[in-house]
Amino acid sequence: EVQLLESGGGLVQPGGSLRLSCAASGFTFSSYAMSWVRQAPGKGLEWVSAITDSSGDTYYADSVKGRFAISRDNSKNTLYLQMNRLRADDTAVYYCTKGSSGGRPYYFDFWGQGTLVPVSS
Amino acid sequence: EIVLTQSPDTLSLSPGERATLSCRASQSVGSTNLAWYQQKPGQAPRLLIYGASNRATGIPDRFSGSGSGSDFSLTISRLEPEDFAVYYCQPYGSSRTFGQGTKVEIK
């Protein structure tokens, strides 16, 4: 059974930093692309960042480029999202998602339960 | 960048009725590289349809998808109480953008 368990969310002040983690199990982690998708309160889904399987190529939405960094540790089956210079409009539930393949094109076939990141003073 | 428009924003129907949701892209998404997701309140989204018309594992056959290029639809043949939710489309060929969502609510 595929499981994605996010952690690391919590209240952070504007301008602060936070690192999210996603522990994956139930599949060969190193063979699949992974992504972060977020959802602001009462809003729709926004793709944030993606990383390919073993090659580790990374991609970012314009809204987070230069502030967020996605990475993975295939030896620990864990995905990360380092978030710097956080702004109020980064407030959202952040979902870890598994891609359907190692590289594009892929859809998100499994989702974690999400971790809430409120950015507020 | 591909812009997605889902319609309608809200669909008010009764259990047992048929629901048809539309997803239109500003340009071709590349054949059938389109997915649909369902999200219930307080829950994470889950994959319903991939490749425009393929049901994900465990998805009931009352859900069906169709379309190609830039025009897609999701049909729920007979709404069950658990189907009232928000539905998002997403092209996954050259874009990762989601549509704004269609809420299917109980009339």
Side-chain angles (χ1 to χ4, degrees), chain A residues 38 48 60 64 66-69 81-84 86 90 94:
Chain A
R38 70 184 180 183
V48 172
Y60 299 94
V64 307
R67 300 187 299 122
F68 289 12
L81 184 68
Q82 177 67 42
M83 304 186 294
N84 299 325
L86 283 159
D90 293 318
Y94 284 75

Side-chain angles (χ1 to χ4, degrees), chain A:
Chain A
E1 179 192 6
V2 172
Q3 291 194 0
L4 301 171
L5 185 60
E6 302 97 336
S7 61
L11 180 63
V12 60
Q13 292 188 337
S17 297
L18 209 59
R19 187 175 85 155
L20 305 182
S21 299
C22 171
S25 61
F27 64 102
T28 305
F29 181 73
S30 60
S31 297
Y32 293 91
M34 300 291 293
S35 293
W36 290 95
V37 175
R38 70 184 180 183
Q39 186 171 36
K43 302 298 185 182
L45 302 173
E46 179 188 16
W47 170 77
V48 172
S49 182
I51 186 167
T52 55
D53 47 7
S54 53
S55 61
D57 294 334
T58 58
Y59 306 88
Y60 299 94
D62 287 345
S63 57
V64 307
K65 200 171 294 182
R67 300 187 299 122
F68 289 12
I70 191 172
S71 62
R72 64 191 298 160
D73 185 337
N74 289 339
S75 68
K76 295 182 178 179
N77 291 349
T78 302
L79 176 72
Y80 302 101
L81 184 68
Q82 177 67 42
M83 304 186 294
N84 299 325
R85 289 183 282 144
L86 283 159
R87 309 185 306 220
D89 62 358
D90 293 318
T91 294
V93 173
Y94 284 75
Y95 295 104
C96 170
T97 70
K98 172 187 170 290
S100 56
S101 66
R104 299 188 78 177
Y106 57 84
Y107 46 89
F108 305 134
D109 55 3
F110 289 94
W111 297 61
Q113 282 305 300
T115 187
L116 178 62
V117 178
V119 182
S120 175
S121 54

Side-chain angles (χ1 to χ4, degrees), chain B:
Chain B
E1 183 176 319
I2 294 176
V3 176
L4 293 171
T5 303
Q6 291 187 239
S7 61
D9 288 334
T10 303
L11 199 49
S12 299
L13 295 168
S14 300
E17 291 193 291
R18 181 185 185 92
T20 302
L21 289 64
S22 172
C23 175
R24 187 158 292 174
S26 56
Q27 57 188 275
S28 175
V29 306
S31 187
T32 56
N33 287 334
L34 186 110
W36 290 91
Y37 303 89
Q38 176 195 63
Q39 187 178 32
K40 298 179 183 179
Q43 295 185 18
R46 70 163 175 166
L47 176 68
L48 282 181
I49 300 285
Y50 65 93
S53 61
N54 302 292
R55 280 187 300 276
T57 302
I59 301 303
D61 60 8
R62 62 180 181 273
F63 290 92
S64 63
S66 64
S68 65
S70 61
D71 209 353
F72 300 86
S73 63
L74 174 70
T75 299
I76 311 171
S77 59
R78 288 178 58 85
L79 283 164
E80 297 287 341
E82 62 268 27
D83 299 337
F84 291 92
V86 180
Y87 294 83
Y88 296 94
C89 64
Q90 186 217 14
Y92 55 89
S94 58
S95 171
R96 300 179 183 88
T97 310
F98 291 89
Q100 84 277 14
T102 290
K103 181 179 181 181
V104 179
E105 65 176 21
I106 299 176
K107 186 175 182 180

